[in-house]
Structures are given as structure tokens and as C-alpha cells.
Amino acid sequence: MSFDLILFGGTGDLVWRKLMPALFQAFRHGSLPAGGRIIGVARDELDDVQYRALIKSRFDHVELAKRPTEEEFSRFEALLCYVRMDLSRADDYPALATKLKERQADTVVMYLATAPGLFTGFCEQIAAAGLNGPEMRVVLEKPLGHDLQSNRAINESVRRAFSENQIFRIDHYLGKPSVQNLFALRFGNALFEPLWRRENIANIQITIAEELGIEKRGAFYDSTGALRDMVQNHALQLLCAVGMEPPINSHADAIRDEKLKVLRSLKAWTPETLRRHVVRGQYGAGAVNGTATQAYRRETGVSETSTTETFVALRTEIANWRWAGVPFYIRTGKRLADRAAFIEVNFRPAPHAIFKTPVGAANRLVINLQPKDGLELHLLAQGQQERRVSQTLSPVQLDLDFDKRFGSERVGAYERLLLDVIDGRLNLFVRSDEQEEAWRWVEPIMESWKNDAEGPRAYAAGTWGPAASSAMIARDGFCWTEEC
Ligand code: BG6
């Protein structure tokens, strides 16, 4: 099968940080179908040779084990070519059409790694140039819009040019191996299903913590914030994966139907819950890993009086028979104490105690997304160090480390998703109705912040966020992992 993969925004951050390294890994693993072209598109005046040299230089930033050797790059670069084009100029589209006509590939993937403001005009021009035939697939990066209305407008314009099965809305968290393993754990094994409900589960916590700040994305981030950047998409997709009903089969729409039901079942916000169950924060100066870091408001591209949140913690519920009353907590932030993403399923304690157990100890299943990838099952056991059988139980942990079990050279998130687009598999992509529902649910939070003069709560970089986040969960009698 021949393919053309066009990377719009071909000299941009996403391409050199994520997409090219992922494509190179796919190439190295031999999983890119033979006979493909990777076409970078951007406004810079470059030719093929200069584009290849630029991409090569960018690999210096990639970790050593994932960097191509000279020999590997010389084979990989044969796939790369470049088209200079300004997406906002109708006159520039014929050059792209000419490039594609050079060889009529079986599949053409158009990856929009550009500012979302360009999507609508792009779709109109692509349709006008007749570049929206059935062999075309379009990949849209998040954030798709900044609220429900703008999201709808983008989705409508994309659907005027392409049918839904040609549209691949990326949420790279769905490509992470541990998220696929969560589906495998829940729907390929019968063990946990009977326990996976309100009768047995006390609460579920989803944490996506980053040590990094906003890097060089100050201007983008300051008009976006953590709610739009992480909660509306990544965190809610994780919540869907952990909370959804078993789908009737593994087809894309069966899975997406179930995720949509979760989003529709999220408890509606009230003024009271908005006040008590949502915490926003912004990092001040501090130290991450022993290195002093500056306050968010001092970052390049950020307003000195910015009220953009770099941290969100919230509590919600899925209002259905399986989950009614079970709190789901989400927290995410930049410049936190650690880089860690995990989902923690906290089971209820044994209903009747015949042993002595440490305070607060109960069974816990942790699905680790990163930095390590695997499962931890926390149980209580008798240590048996004493001569007499002890009545006191101690916490023990069963580890399933997927990196050790399956090798750390497994397919990464972007690699998986890019290969899926080329193969036309939609399972790990987000449907427009899911996206709209997620926007509908976060909108009241955005609205409430507009009217809240207090602004985000400050937290020192290198900590776990503002104290109000701990206070929120403590009011329910629970705690975040690192505090328990
Ligand atoms: C992106 C956000 O979608 O996800 C970034 O825009 C964030 O702000 C990134 O840093 C986190 O992804 P990962 O895979 O590094 O956890």
C-alpha cells in the first residue's frame, strides 16, 4: 500500500518533538508500509535537501537510544520531501495538488499540526482543490477550538469536506500503551469486572502531573490553560476509559458510543459544586528537582497579570447505576513535584475487620501511564516475621511492569496513532460528539472563572499544587496518593 503523509506545520514544534521521532521509530521497527512519502509543508523557503537537513539536526534533541545512526537517517530521509505553502493562501494549494499527483498514493494522510485557527479555511480550500477524495484522511491535533461553539464550527467545516470516517481527531493519551492495557485489563479479563462498580470502589483518582513548565509555548498556553490543554481532552478520555461500560465489540464506534455515554453522564455542575469541587492554581517561583524555576507570570509570552491556570483539581461523579455516588478526582498541573501520570482505583475496605490493619489501608489498583508503564495491585498481607501469627496486616504490592514484561522498545503513543491513521483504524481517535460533550461539560467551569475575582491559587513550583486541592479531597475523607 503506498501512502503520502503530509505534515502541515512541517517545521513546527510538534513535528520535530513528537511526529518525526515517532515516524522514525516506526521506520526503524519496519512498521511503516513500504513505498511511503512524508511531505513536510510550511511557509519557510526550503527545498527537500534543506528540509532533510533541518529534520536531521532536530534529532539531536531526541534521547540517544531513539536517535538514528547516519546510515539509518540516510535511508529514512529518502522518504522526506518538502512543499512550501501558506495554508491561508488559496494560490498555494495547486502546488500541493501537483505534488500529490506525482504518484497517486493509495492513502493520503493530511496531518494538521498547525494552529486550529487555520483548520476551517484549510478544509474549504482542500475541498475546492478536489483534494478530499475517499483516499484522503485528515488528522486534527488538539485543542480543537477553545469552547463548545468554536469546536462545533471547526467540526462542521471539517465535515463539509470529509466524512466522519476520514477524520482522525488525535488525543495522544489514547495511544499510550497503558491506556490500551486498561482496555485489555477491563474487557479482556473477567477478574475485575464484578468489582468495577460502586459497591466495591470508594473513589477513583486520575493524576497527570508534569515537572515541565510551559517551555516555549507561553503565548499559546496563556490563552489556553490547564483545563483546555489537559482536562477537556486527556483527563476526560482517561476517565472514560476507566468508567465506560464494556463495548459490544472492539469496533471504533462501539467504543466511542460507550465513552460518549460516560461524558453524558457526568454530573452537571451547580454553583455549589463549582465552588467546592474545582480548584485552579498557578505556579509561582520554586524548585523542581533541585533547580530553581521562575514563576509562571515571568515566563516568556505570558502576561505579568495572567490569571491562566497551570493546575486544576476537580471532583466529579458519573451519574449512572454503576458509579452513582463514587467520586472521580482529576488533577493535572505544570511544574509539579514529579512527572507522573496514573489512574488509581481505590477499593472499599473489608466490611468486617478480624485483623488489625494500618489506618486507611485498603486495596488499590494503580494503572501507571508514565514514567513507568504497568499495574500495581496493593493488598494486605501477614508479614510472618514474628514467631506467632500476627493479627496485624501490612500493605504489600504486586507489580506488573509492562516495560520489563514486554520490553521498553514498545510502540509509543504517536507511533501507534500514526500507524493507525495510515491503516485507517479509528478506535483510538475521538469522535466529534465526544469532543462536543467534553466541551459542554467544562464550559460552566470556564464561565465560573470569568466571574471569579479571586483568580487561581498560587503554588510553589515543585510541589503538588495549592493546598486547596488537598482540602477538597480531604472533605470527602480521602487523600491524594502522596499524602496518604
Ligand atoms: C499535550 C499538552 O497535549 O500533552 C502539553 O498540550 C502537555 O501541555 C502534553 O505537556 C503532555 O503529554 P505527555 O505525553 O508528555 O504526558
Side-chain angles (χ1 to χ4, degrees):
M1 182 200 69
S2 60
F3 73 92
D4 277 343
L5 169 58
I6 312 169
L7 301 174
F8 296 98
T11 53
D13 195 55
L14 187 73
V15 166
W16 70 263
R17 268 194 328 124
K18 302 276 191 187
L19 303 183
M20 276 301 172
L23 286 164
F24 171 67
Q25 286 310 311
F27 174 78
R28 182 183 256 179
H29 295 150
S31 34
L32 264 192
R37 283 195 303 188
I38 300 169
I39 308 173
V41 173
R43 283 181 302 187
D44 311 61
E45 285 291 351
L46 298 173
D47 59 20
D48 289 355
V49 175
Q50 288 166 319
Y51 186 60
R52 288 170 187 158
L54 178 76
I55 295 300
K56 188 175 186 206
S57 68
R58 302 293 193 176
F59 271 103
D60 292 350
H61 301 268
V62 171
E63 64 181 279
L64 210 53
K66 299 198 167 158
R67 230 180 264 173
T69 61
E70 285 291 328
E71 186 274 329
E72 280 174 323
F73 192 80
S74 68
R75 285 188 291 116
F76 179 64
E77 73 173 0
L79 274 60
L80 303 180
C81 51
Y82 183 77
V83 172
R84 201 213 72 83
M85 174 178 173
D86 180 343
L87 291 198
S88 61
R89 284 172 47 97
D91 293 352
D92 283 5
Y93 283 75
L96 180 64
T98 310
K99 187 80 187 168
L100 294 180
K101 276 199 198 113
E102 276 174 5
R103 46 169 250 148
Q104 311 279 355
D106 300 327
T107 300
V108 179
V109 175
M110 305 199 224
Y111 197 120
L112 282 166
T114 59
L118 294 169
F119 291 179
T120 303
F122 167 83
C123 289
E124 284 163 10
Q125 296 298 340
I126 282 289
L131 293 176
N132 56 343
E135 74 284 16
M136 301 287 175
R137 290 173 195 154
V138 63
V139 186
L140 305 173
E141 259 297 333
K142 62 162 269 285
L144 221 52
H146 56 271
D147 57 12
L148 178 59
Q149 199 190 353
S150 54
N151 175 259
R152 273 198 181 141
I154 295 174
N155 275 329
E156 276 163 22
S157 68
V158 181
R159 273 196 304 249
R160 275 196 292 276
F162 299 97
S163 59
E164 185 66 36
N165 64 7
Q166 293 176 285
I167 308 172
F168 291 72
R169 295 179 194 80
I170 283 238
D171 185 310
H172 78 278
Y173 266 65
L174 290 179
K176 291 194 187 274
S178 32
V179 176
Q180 286 150 66
N181 262 314
L182 174 58
F183 287 122
L185 175 82
R186 290 200 54 205
F187 308 132
N189 295 279
L191 185 66
F192 284 105
E193 170 51 26
L195 302 175
W196 213 259
R197 55 193 66 249
R198 63 193 298 280
E199 290 79 358
N200 311 303
I201 292 180
N203 70 79
I204 292 186
Q205 302 180 15
I206 297 170
T207 295
I208 310 177
E210 296 185 87
E211 284 177 346
L212 285 180
I214 50 167
E215 304 289 280
K216 293 189 177 120
R217 301 192 305 158
F220 157 78
Y221 196 87
D222 208 33
S223 60
T224 305
L227 187 71
R228 290 184 175 96
D229 189 40
M230 300 296 287
V231 177
Q232 186 274 342
N233 33 72
H234 304 324
L236 283 184
Q237 285 293 329
L238 295 183
L239 185 142
C240 287
V242 75
M244 69 196 257
E245 294 298 315
I248 54 168
N249 57 39
S250 60
H251 296 165
D253 277 332
I255 296 169
R256 301 190 300 179
D257 287 347
E258 295 305 335
K259 287 195 287 156
L260 179 64
K261 277 199 236 161
V262 172
L263 294 166
R264 287 199 174 137
S265 316
L266 289 178
K267 218 166 179 183
W269 295 107
T270 64
E272 162 82 358
T273 56
L274 284 168
R275 200 170 43 78
R276 288 172 58 86
H277 294 165
V278 184
V279 175
R280 62 171 162 158
Q282 187 187 76
Y283 63 82
V288 176
N289 271 334
T291 307
T293 56
Q294 62 184 352
Y296 175 72
R297 289 180 181 181
R298 305 293 297 273
E299 303 271 16
T300 313
V302 172
S303 152
E304 280 177 13
T305 54
S306 172
T307 57
T308 299
E309 78 289 355
T310 59
F311 175 94
V312 177
L314 60 82
R315 173 203 198 278
T316 185
E317 285 177 30
I318 302 176
N320 65 14
W321 274 51
R322 185 187 287 269
W323 293 118
V326 177
F328 282 72
Y329 302 100
I330 288 175
R331 67 173 166 165
T332 182
K334 302 266 184 207
R335 286 274 187 248
L336 296 185
D338 202 0
R339 174 176 182 252
F342 54 90
I343 303 171
E344 207 177 87
V345 180
N346 289 304
F347 291 89
R348 292 184 192 282
H352 172 65
I354 61 166
F355 295 105
K356 287 186 200 138
T357 53
V359 179
N363 301 134
R364 188 155 51 103
L365 177 71
V366 185
I367 299 125
N368 283 312
L369 276 67
Q370 59 199 29
K372 53 182 186 169
D373 166 18
L375 297 175
E376 286 167 23
L377 184 60
H378 295 252
L379 303 167
L380 292 166
Q382 269 184 345
Q384 309 261 331
Q385 285 106 336
E386 296 129 40
R387 283 180 181 264
R388 290 210 182 133
V389 172
S390 161
Q391 288 303 303
T392 304
L393 301 186
S394 318
V396 288
Q397 183 176 327
L398 276 176
D399 271 321
L400 179 54
D401 180 332
F402 288 134
D403 289 334
K404 272 201 200 130
R405 180 68 188 78
F406 298 119
S408 55
E409 266 297 286
R410 277 173 309 134
V411 177
Y414 270 102
E415 184 182 349
R416 148 97 312 118
L417 295 173
L418 283 161
L419 292 171
D420 279 0
V421 183
I422 294 171
D423 290 347
R425 262 194 310 273
L426 277 157
N427 295 31
L428 299 176
F429 295 84
V430 182
R431 212 167 50 191
S432 61
D433 48 6
E434 285 177 75
Q435 235 174 22
E436 287 180 17
E437 205 52 52
W439 277 116
R440 186 171 296 118
W441 186 75
V442 298
E443 271 203 340
I445 305 177
M446 302 187 314
E447 280 305 309
S448 73
W449 288 348
K450 273 191 207 155
N451 306 318
D452 165 29
E454 205 182 325
R457 291 162 193 263
Y459 63 96
T463 65
W464 282 100
S469 151
S470 310
M472 176 191 73
I473 193 166
R475 280 199 294 273
D476 290 342
F478 303 126
C479 46
W480 299 114
T481 305
E482 73 283 355
E483 296 169 341
C484 292

